[in-house]
Coordinates of all heavy atoms in Angstrom, one line a residue:
T29 N 59.4 3.8 189.3 CA 60.8 4.1 189.4 C 61.6 3.9 188.1 O 61.0 3.4 187.1 CB 61.4 3.2 190.5 OG1 61.1 1.8 190.0 CG2 60.8 3.4 191.9
T30 N 62.8 4.2 188.0 CA 63.6 3.9 186.8 C 64.6 2.7 187.2 O 65.5 2.9 188.1 CB 64.5 5.1 186.4 OG1 63.6 6.2 186.1 CG2 65.4 4.8 185.2
G31 N 64.6 1.7 186.3 CA 65.4 0.6 186.6 C 66.3 0.4 185.4 O 66.3 1.2 184.5
A32 N 67.0 -0.6 185.3 CA 67.9 -0.9 184.2 C 67.3 -1.0 182.9 O 67.8 -0.7 181.8 CB 68.9 -2.2 184.5
G33 N 65.9 -1.5 183.0 CA 65.3 -1.8 181.7 C 64.4 -0.5 181.5 O 63.5 -0.6 180.6
G34 N 64.5 0.5 182.2 CA 63.6 1.6 182.0 C 62.6 2.0 183.2 O 62.8 1.4 184.2
L35 N 61.6 2.6 182.8 CA 60.5 2.8 183.9 C 59.8 1.6 184.3 O 59.5 0.7 183.4 CB 59.5 3.8 183.3 CG 59.9 5.3 183.0 CD1 58.9 6.1 182.5 CD2 60.5 5.9 184.3
E36 N 59.5 1.5 185.5 CA 58.7 0.4 186.0 C 57.7 1.1 187.1 O 57.9 2.1 187.7 CB 59.6 -0.6 187.0 CG 60.6 -1.2 186.1 CD 61.4 -2.4 186.9 OE1 60.7 -3.3 187.3 OE2 62.5 -2.3 186.7
A37 N 56.5 0.5 187.2 CA 55.4 0.9 188.0 C 54.7 -0.2 188.6 O 54.5 -1.1 188.2 CB 54.4 1.8 187.3
T38 N 54.4 0.0 189.9 CA 53.7 -0.9 190.7 C 52.6 -0.2 191.4 O 52.8 0.8 192.1 CB 54.5 -1.6 191.8 OG1 55.5 -2.4 191.0 CG2 53.6 -2.6 192.7
H39 N 51.3 -0.7 191.4 CA 50.3 0.0 192.1 C 50.0 -0.7 193.4 O 50.0 -2.0 193.4 CB 48.9 -0.2 191.2 CG 49.1 0.5 189.9 ND1 48.5 1.9 189.7 CD2 49.7 0.3 188.8 CE1 48.8 2.2 188.5 NE2 49.4 1.3 187.9
M40 N 50.0 0.1 194.4 CA 50.1 -0.6 195.8 C 49.5 0.4 196.8 O 49.5 1.5 196.6 CB 51.3 -1.0 196.2 CG 52.4 0.1 196.0 SD 54.1 -0.5 196.0 CE 54.6 -0.2 197.7
P41 N 48.9 -0.1 197.8 CA 48.5 0.8 199.0 C 49.7 1.3 199.8 O 50.6 0.7 200.0 CB 47.6 -0.2 199.7 CG 48.1 -1.5 199.6 CD 48.7 -1.6 198.2
F42 N 49.5 2.6 200.2 CA 50.5 3.2 201.1 C 49.9 3.7 202.4 O 48.6 3.9 202.5 CB 51.1 4.4 200.4 CG 52.0 4.2 199.3 CD1 51.5 3.9 198.0 CD2 53.3 4.0 199.4 CE1 52.3 3.6 196.9 CE2 54.3 3.7 198.4 CZ 53.7 3.4 197.1
V43 N 50.8 3.8 203.4 CA 50.2 4.4 204.7 C 51.2 5.7 204.7 O 52.4 5.8 204.4 CB 50.6 3.6 205.9 CG1 50.5 4.4 207.2 CG2 49.9 2.3 205.9
L44 N 50.5 6.8 205.0 CA 51.3 8.2 205.1 C 51.5 8.4 206.5 O 50.6 8.5 207.4 CB 50.4 9.3 204.5 CG 50.8 10.6 204.8 CD1 52.1 11.0 204.1 CD2 49.7 11.7 204.3
D45 N 52.8 8.7 206.8 CA 53.3 9.1 208.1 C 53.5 10.6 208.0 O 54.7 11.0 207.5 CB 54.4 8.2 208.7 CG 54.8 8.7 210.1 OD1 54.4 9.7 210.6 OD2 55.6 7.9 210.7
A46 N 52.7 11.6 208.3 CA 52.9 12.9 208.1 C 53.9 13.6 209.0 O 54.4 14.5 208.5 CB 51.6 13.7 208.3
S47 N 54.2 12.9 210.2 CA 55.0 13.5 211.0 C 56.6 13.1 211.0 O 57.5 13.5 211.6 CB 54.8 13.2 212.6 OG 54.7 11.8 212.8
A48 N 56.8 12.1 210.0 CA 58.2 11.4 209.8 C 59.2 12.3 209.1 O 60.4 12.0 209.2 CB 58.0 10.1 209.1
S49 N 58.7 13.3 208.3 CA 59.6 14.2 207.7 C 58.9 15.4 207.4 O 57.6 15.6 207.5 CB 60.2 13.5 206.4 OG 59.0 13.3 205.5
P50 N 59.4 16.5 206.7 CA 58.8 17.8 206.5 C 57.6 17.6 205.6 O 56.6 18.3 205.7 CB 59.9 18.6 205.9 CG 61.2 18.2 206.4 CD 61.0 16.6 206.6
F51 N 57.7 16.7 204.6 CA 56.4 16.6 203.7 C 55.8 15.2 203.9 O 54.8 14.9 203.3 CB 57.0 16.5 202.3 CG 57.7 17.9 201.8 CD1 58.9 18.0 201.7 CD2 56.8 19.0 201.5 CE1 59.4 19.2 201.2 CE2 57.2 20.1 201.2 CZ 58.6 20.3 201.1
G52 N 56.2 14.5 204.9 CA 55.6 13.2 205.3 C 56.4 12.1 204.6 O 57.2 12.3 203.7
T53 N 56.2 10.8 205.0 CA 56.8 9.7 204.6 C 55.8 8.7 204.2 O 54.8 8.4 204.9 CB 57.9 9.0 205.6 OG1 58.8 10.0 205.8 CG2 58.3 7.8 205.2
L54 N 55.9 8.0 203.0 CA 55.1 7.0 202.5 C 55.7 5.6 202.9 O 56.8 5.4 202.6 CB 54.8 7.2 201.0 CG 54.1 8.4 200.5 CD1 54.2 8.6 199.1 CD2 52.6 8.5 201.1
R55 N 54.8 4.8 203.4 CA 55.3 3.4 203.7 C 54.4 2.4 203.0 O 53.2 2.6 203.1 CB 55.2 3.2 205.2 CG 56.2 4.2 206.0 CD 56.5 3.7 207.4 NE 57.5 4.5 207.9 CZ 57.3 5.5 208.8 NH1 56.2 5.6 209.4 NH2 58.4 6.1 209.3
G56 N 55.0 1.6 202.3 CA 54.3 0.6 201.7 C 55.2 -0.7 201.6 O 56.2 -0.9 202.2
H57 N 54.7 -1.8 200.9 CA 55.4 -3.0 200.7 C 55.1 -3.6 199.5 O 54.2 -3.4 198.9 CB 55.1 -4.0 201.9 CG 53.7 -4.6 201.9 ND1 52.6 -3.8 202.5 CD2 53.1 -5.6 201.4 CE1 51.6 -4.5 202.4 NE2 51.9 -5.6 201.7
I58 N 56.2 -4.3 199.0 CA 56.1 -4.8 197.6 C 56.6 -6.3 197.7 O 57.4 -6.6 198.5 CB 57.1 -4.1 196.6 CG1 56.9 -4.3 195.3 CG2 58.5 -4.0 197.1 CD1 57.5 -3.4 194.3
S59 N 56.0 -7.1 196.9 CA 56.2 -8.5 197.0 C 57.6 -8.9 196.4 O 58.2 -8.1 195.4 CB 55.2 -9.3 196.1 OG 55.5 -10.6 195.8
R60 N 58.2 -9.8 197.1 CA 59.5 -10.2 196.5 C 59.4 -10.9 195.1 O 60.4 -10.8 194.3 CB 60.2 -11.3 197.6 CG 60.7 -10.6 198.7 CD 61.5 -11.8 199.5 NE 61.9 -11.2 200.8 CZ 63.1 -10.6 200.8 NH1 63.8 -10.2 199.9 NH2 63.5 -10.0 202.0
A61 N 58.3 -11.3 194.7 CA 58.1 -11.8 193.4 C 57.9 -10.7 192.3 O 58.1 -10.9 191.2 CB 56.7 -12.7 193.3
N62 N 57.8 -9.4 192.8 CA 57.8 -8.3 192.0 C 59.2 -7.8 191.6 O 59.9 -7.5 192.5 CB 56.9 -7.2 192.5 CG 56.8 -5.9 191.7 OD1 57.6 -5.6 190.9 ND2 55.7 -5.2 191.8
H63 N 59.6 -7.8 190.4 CA 60.9 -7.5 190.0 C 61.3 -6.2 190.4 O 62.5 -5.8 190.6 CB 61.2 -7.8 188.5 CG 62.5 -7.3 188.0 ND1 63.5 -7.9 188.1 CD2 62.8 -6.3 187.2 CE1 64.6 -7.3 187.7 NE2 64.2 -6.2 187.1
Q64 N 60.4 -5.2 190.5 CA 60.7 -3.8 190.7 C 61.5 -3.5 191.9 O 62.5 -2.7 191.8 CB 59.4 -2.9 190.8 CG 59.7 -1.4 190.8 CD 58.4 -0.6 190.8 OE1 57.3 -1.1 190.8 NE2 58.6 0.8 190.7

Side-chain angles (χ1 to χ4, degrees):
T29 59
T30 302
L35 291 175
E36 296 190 52
T38 298
H39 297 263
M40 55 197 258
F42 287 87
V43 173
L44 170 63
D45 183 348
S47 64
S49 67
F51 294 106
T53 297
L54 296 171
R55 296 195 171 109
H57 64 277
I58 192 167
S59 170
R60 287 188 181 275
N62 182 329
H63 173 73
Q64 186 177 6

